[in-house]
């Protein structure tokens, strides 16, 4: 019956826990409570593993592995607050991370993603170019609305390296439609090596650029990261060695 009810953890543990309950003279409700707690813990762990696998976050990019001494404009307490106080996600607000290549924007965005998943929030990480190309193919197949709706299952969508999207009419169009679709409904975390003043390189015309920025910043936290590229420093260190 437990197998039929899909109570797998209770099915595996009811007998040894029953023996313990008899030995320690538990009341029936304590025994039942312990069984339910085991089942809930097992389901929570499976949900976490499922969310982590589906999120496709870069491996080894958790908060503990980021060196905040190498970057200014962002602090560990601020990032921790974005993770621990996630009401901004419930309100569909955005997080924008700007800065030069190689200073850790992707690591910071991923760290937040890992933290939000642990809090039960569904997250998806995707490179901007891959996302835009996927949406463009969906639009050509007249299925863009379906593609955008499928992304709605992710409360937070992390779009990495937006500055590398090529400026074409097709790509600009689907990128704008994604931003407009999620506006005030679901959150975006965007990393970019280009400030807003250079976003005319991403969109086909000024009107679309202004409209996209307006929707992104209306409810947003903006972090300007500054520092020297860690990839460049690592390369120089290797050459020196």
């Amino acid at each position: 019956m437990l197998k039929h009810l899909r109570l797998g953890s209770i099915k595996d543990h009811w007998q040894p826990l029953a023996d313990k309950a008899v030995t320690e003279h538990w009341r029936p409700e304590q025994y039942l409570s312990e069984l339910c707690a085991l089942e809930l813990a097992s389901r929570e762990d499976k949900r976490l593993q499922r969310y982590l696998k589906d999120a496709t976050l870069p491996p080894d990019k958790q908060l503990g592995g980021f060196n905040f001494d190498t970057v200014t404009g962002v602090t560990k307490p601020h990032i921790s607050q974005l993770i621990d106080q996630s009401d901004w996600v419930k309100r569909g607000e955005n997080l924008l991370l700007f800065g030069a290549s190689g200073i850790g924007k992707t690591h910071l965005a991923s760290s937040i993603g890992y933290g939000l998943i642990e809090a039960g929030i569904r997250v998806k990480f995707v490179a901007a170019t891959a996302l835009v190309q996927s949406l463009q193919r969906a639009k050509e197949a007249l299925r863009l609305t379906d593609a955008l709706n499928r992304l709605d299952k992710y409360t937070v969508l992390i779009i990495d390296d937006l500055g590398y999207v090529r400026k074409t009419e097709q790509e600009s169009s689907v990128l704008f439609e994604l931003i407009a679709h999620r506006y005030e409904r679901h959150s975006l975390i965007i990393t970019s090596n280009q400030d807003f003043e250079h976003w005319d390189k991403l969109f086909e015309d000024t009107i679309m650029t202004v409209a996209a920025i307006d929707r992104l910043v209306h409810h947003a936290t903006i972090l300007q990261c500054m520092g020297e590229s860690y990839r460049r420093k690592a390369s120089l260190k290797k050459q020196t060695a």
Side-chain angles (χ1 to χ4, degrees):
M1 287 187 291
L2 291 170
K3 181 178 180 180
H4 184 71
L5 290 170
R6 298 181 181 179
L7 297 172
S9 186
I10 293 180
K11 180 178 70 70
D12 294 337
H13 295 95
W14 75 267
Q15 183 64 69
L17 203 62
D19 296 338
K20 183 178 181 181
V22 171
T23 301
E24 298 183 5
H25 306 291
W26 289 1
R27 293 178 60 82
E29 57 267 30
Q30 183 181 355
Y31 172 59
L32 178 60
S33 176
E34 290 293 329
L35 285 176
C36 290
L38 283 172
E39 185 66 36
L40 289 173
S42 174
R43 293 190 179 194
E44 176 64 15
D45 183 65
K46 290 178 181 178
R47 180 202 59 78
L48 176 61
Q49 296 306 316
R50 186 172 67 252
Y51 279 17
L52 284 171
K53 182 178 179 180
D54 189 36
T56 60
L57 287 162
D60 303 320
K61 297 291 185 182
Q62 286 89 349
L63 187 59
F66 188 82
N67 185 2
F68 284 89
D69 294 333
T70 63
V71 62
T72 60
V74 61
T75 64
K76 186 174 182 179
H78 193 181
I79 299 300
S80 297
Q81 183 180 27
L82 290 169
I83 295 172
D84 298 335
Q85 300 178 17
S86 56
D87 287 347
W88 62 278
V89 172
K90 297 176 183 178
R91 296 190 295 267
E93 297 178 3
N94 302 318
L95 173 62
L96 310 176
L97 293 160
F98 293 108
S101 297
I103 63 173
K105 301 185 302 298
T106 299
H107 193 147
L108 288 171
S110 299
S111 298
I112 295 170
Y114 278 111
L116 293 176
I117 288 175
E118 290 182 3
I121 297 169
R122 201 160 188 182
V123 174
K124 183 69 173 179
F125 179 97
V126 63
T129 51
L131 175 63
V132 168
Q133 290 169 7
S134 174
L135 293 177
Q136 187 176 336
R137 289 193 296 269
K139 185 172 184 177
E140 291 171 352
L142 304 180
R143 300 189 63 85
L144 179 60
T145 300
D146 293 339
L148 294 175
N149 288 337
R150 282 195 297 272
L151 290 173
D152 283 346
K153 70 180 180 179
Y154 303 107
T155 308
V156 177
L157 183 63
I158 302 176
I159 305 177
D160 192 41
D161 282 334
L162 187 64
Y164 292 107
V165 173
R166 295 192 305 273
K167 180 179 177 179
T168 67
E169 181 179 355
Q170 293 80 11
E171 292 190 355
S172 297
S173 174
V174 295
L175 179 57
F176 176 78
E177 291 192 55
L178 171 66
I179 293 171
H181 178 80
R182 294 182 71 88
Y183 175 60
E184 293 188 326
R185 299 174 60 247
H186 303 296
S187 296
L188 292 170
I189 296 178
I190 293 176
T191 73
S192 176
N193 62 354
Q194 297 184 23
D195 295 335
F196 286 136
E197 60 187 60
H198 299 117
W199 275 33
D200 57 343
K201 299 177 182 178
L202 303 179
F203 295 95
E204 189 67 21
D205 57 60
T206 302
I207 295 176
M208 187 178 290
T209 303
V210 172
I213 294 174
D214 182 64
R215 285 166 171 78
L216 286 174
V217 304
H218 184 204
H219 307 289
T221 297
I222 302 175
L223 300 178
Q224 184 71 50
C225 306
M226 293 172 285
E228 186 179 355
S229 170
Y230 70 89
R231 287 191 288 263
R232 180 174 180 274
K233 288 189 291 186
S235 178
L236 291 173
K237 184 177 180 180
K238 183 178 179 180
Q239 291 176 20
T240 302

